[in-house]
Amino acid sequence: MDEEVDVMQEMYGEGSDYQQYKNTKLDDLKKRMGNAILTEMRAVDKKERMSDFKQKIAIRQFHALEKENQQSFFQKYNGRGNNDLHVSVIRLKQAMRKTFHDYKRERHMDEFDQLMEKE
């Protein structure tokens, strides 16, 4: 510590307030480092917000396009008076839903039977 004081006195002179100069430089360094960190944090935050914003826009555009395609599909066939296709699609969906639920029910029953056999 005495060596540091001797070096500082030698650099800045006997009558100078070298300790104040040292403290001022350290404070300045801390402020600049803090500002650099804050600037970097703001840039990262802005980038993340822009990424989230772009992702939300892309999802909305996808859903809008999907909805538009569905509407145009049914309008194309319904506009010509072709109700049969629309009815067929509805019936197919209902049949698939019923088949899926039957499959799930059977699978659960099989799992239950296997559990009962183990015990």
Side-chain angles (χ1 to χ4, degrees):
M1 184 79 176
D2 288 335
E3 290 177 24
E4 181 183 329
V5 170
D6 292 339
V7 171
M8 296 293 274
Q9 281 180 344
E10 192 176 308
M11 284 177 62
Y12 298 106
E14 280 296 317
S16 68
D17 190 9
Y18 58 87
Q19 191 62 36
Q20 181 63 35
Y21 180 76
K22 177 181 169 183
N23 291 338
T24 303
K25 284 295 184 178
L26 282 173
D27 288 344
D28 182 51
L29 178 64
K30 289 176 186 175
K31 287 177 187 174
R32 285 188 284 137
M33 288 177 64
N35 287 338
I37 290 170
L38 288 174
T39 302
E40 187 66 26
M41 288 173 65
R42 283 188 196 109
V44 169
D45 183 53
K46 183 177 179 180
K47 187 177 179 182
E48 286 177 359
R49 282 189 283 131
M50 287 301 291
S51 176
D52 290 344
F53 181 70
K54 288 179 182 178
Q55 188 176 16
K56 287 178 184 177
I57 288 175
I59 290 170
R60 286 186 186 142
Q61 288 174 342
F62 175 74
H63 287 305
L65 182 63
E66 188 178 61
K67 188 175 182 180
E68 182 181 311
N69 286 341
Q70 286 177 351
Q71 288 176 349
S72 65
F73 175 77
F74 285 113
Q75 286 174 353
K76 182 171 32 172
Y77 288 102
N78 288 337
R80 294 183 186 158
N82 190 354
N83 247 357
D84 295 337
L85 179 65
H86 183 66
V87 171
S88 296
V89 169
I90 291 173
R91 286 183 182 160
L92 180 62
K93 282 183 180 180
Q94 289 172 345
M96 293 298 290
R97 188 176 303 123
K98 183 178 178 188
T99 305
F100 176 70
H101 289 298
D102 290 342
Y103 168 75
K104 278 178 61 176
R105 189 178 325 112
E106 285 178 21
R107 194 178 80 206
H108 290 329
M109 289 174 65
D110 289 342
E111 289 174 4
F112 180 75
D113 289 341
Q114 288 175 359
L115 285 173
M116 294 304 288
E117 287 175 5
K118 286 181 182 178
E119 292 178 2

